[in-house]
Amino acid sequence: MDYAATAQEAQARIAAAPDLDALEKLRVEFLGKQGSVSALLKTLGALSPEERQTVGPQIHALREGVTEALAIRKAALEQAELDARLAAEQVDLTLPAAQTPRGSIHPVSQVLDELAEIFADLGFSVATGPEIEDDWHNFTALNIPESHPARAMHDTFYFPDVDAEGRKMLLRTHTSPVQIRAMLQQGAPIRIIAPGRVYRSDSDATHTPMFHQVEGLVIDKGITLGHLKWTLETFLKAFFEREDIVLRLRPSYFPFTEPSVEVDVGFALVNGKRVLGGSGDAPGHGWMELLGSGMVGRKVIAAGGLDPDEWQGFAFGVGVDRLAMLKYGMDDLRAFFDGDARWLGHYGFSAFDVPTLSAGVGAGA
Ligand code: PHE
């Protein structure tokens, strides 16, 4: 048998295969279980050792030649198919869009951008911490020990397992643990805001199990309550874009601040809606609780690895969703997280309206 001629004929047929289907049929015809080349290979066993010495290499060469020809033709056909598809599926990017994109910036994202912009102007940088926290950062370091009633008040979501250090893991109930992380990581002085998601097992028209807070922390030498009040006033005037924002500071209690101050903001009732501005004591006005704050407690500063005799500071925590509702007029918090395209279309912001102080942080409203 003329193996070289057989090989030549097979390779010619393979090279002429018009498509991948035809090529696969040829592969089966030659190399399949019942294939002609496979059949030749099977005859080797019946040959004498001498015959095998001469015929064996020829049959193997035949098989290799066919295998290689199949691979080459396959690559060529696949390349041709890809080229054809690329040509057919070409997109003309210069054509006008068939539909205007409908995406928008969520009010929470918008407010977070506004906050970062306002506080950057005051020299604050943005810090972050994990949403899955341990109970030391979320509670203990913030002067909320194991038996403290504040732990129960936080309606905490706990994980069943503890971490490598035996600490209970939880979904952070506030952004205050970032105070501790910031002090431990960057030392003093500090000027940060820490925005992010927080979690509490609570749900109605004004509470969702996940919501957003922004923490503020300043640590330096000689920081007083006056600095806190000025910072909050400056921030809220810039955020609500009104010079007549009036704050009322009330003594309060948080385990991690001493003294602690609850901050109310004055509003006027206009057509049944609360419009911020003016003293809450004026006729037709009222006070609305807005945020918690205070001077960072000595124990907290020490837990952050700093000497409380050397460093002082203030901290505050605000609900970001609440700020968005007050500024942009939504009244049901749950709708924030429904992902309803109509709601987003109504309350969302253009991605091209980046908040800047010079243009007014809420210019896109
Ligand atoms: N972490 C507090 C809360 O979630 C708010 C707060 C922050 C109060 C910082 C004082 C200082 O209610």
Side-chain angles (χ1 to χ4, degrees), residues 28 72 88 94 98 108 135 147-148 150 230 239 277 354:
V28 173
I72 290 171
T94 64
V108 171
D135 69 347
S147 58
H148 199 287
W230 180 88
F239 179 73
V354 178

Side-chain angles (χ1 to χ4, degrees), residues 2-78:
D2 186 346
Y3 296 111
T6 308
Q8 242 174 33
E9 192 204 315
Q11 285 168 2
R13 286 181 60 203
I14 289 169
D19 55 39
L20 286 166
D21 278 347
L23 191 66
E24 174 60 11
K25 286 205 183 86
L26 287 173
R27 189 192 66 78
V28 173
E29 179 183 334
F30 298 129
L31 301 179
K33 269 212 185 99
Q34 320 287 336
S36 53
V37 177
S38 309
L40 284 174
L41 280 166
K42 277 181 214 152
T43 63
L44 283 177
L47 297 180
S48 68
E50 295 74 33
E51 281 174 315
R52 210 179 299 152
Q53 283 248 328
T54 54
V55 178
Q58 293 185 60
I59 296 181
H60 280 294
L62 168 61
R63 190 189 58 175
E64 263 161 46
V66 168
T67 305
E68 197 188 320
L70 283 168
I72 290 171
R73 186 62 188 151
K74 187 166 186 232
L77 286 172
E78 281 174 349

Side-chain angles (χ1 to χ4, degrees), residues 194-352:
R197 296 188 179 99
V198 300
Y199 302 82
R200 292 183 200 175
S201 178
D202 206 352
S203 191
D204 59 41
T206 52
H207 297 87
T208 46
M210 184 283 297
F211 58 106
H212 300 81
Q213 283 189 336
V214 64
E215 193 85 4
L217 176 69
V218 168
I219 300 282
D220 210 323
K221 292 181 178 174
I223 297 292
T224 71
L225 212 54
H227 295 116
L228 167 63
K229 187 172 187 226
W230 180 88
T231 304
L232 291 177
E233 255 168 22
T234 304
F235 147 52
L236 292 168
K237 282 178 181 175
F239 179 73
F240 288 109
E241 299 177 87
R242 294 183 70 118
E243 271 305 305
D244 65 346
I245 295 289
V246 180
L247 300 185
R248 181 175 74 174
L249 273 53
R250 267 185 302 114
S252 181
Y253 175 76
F254 297 102
F256 31 92
T257 45
E258 180 58 37
S260 298
V261 188
E262 204 112 38
V263 177
D264 300 337
V265 61
F267 66 87
L269 266 183
V270 181
N271 300 326
K273 276 226 168 207
R274 293 174 168 193
V275 177
L276 297 195
S279 164
D281 292 331
H285 285 59
W287 295 108
M288 177 169 33
E289 193 182 309
L290 193 61
L291 59 92
S293 63
M295 303 305 292
V296 183
R298 291 178 59 87
K299 280 189 185 168
V300 175
I301 290 180
L306 300 172
D307 178 357
D309 286 326
E310 194 182 349
W311 300 102
Q312 297 79 42
F314 65 77
F316 59 86
V318 205
V320 173
D321 319 278
R322 185 104 192 290
L323 286 176
M325 291 169 86
L326 283 171
K327 182 166 178 178
Y328 296 115
M330 312 81 163
D331 47 23
D332 192 337
L333 179 62
R334 288 168 296 196
F336 274 57
F337 310 118
D338 281 346
D340 183 330
R342 286 164 306 172
W343 188 90
L344 287 165
H346 184 75
Y347 288 112
F349 294 82
S350 163
F352 299 112

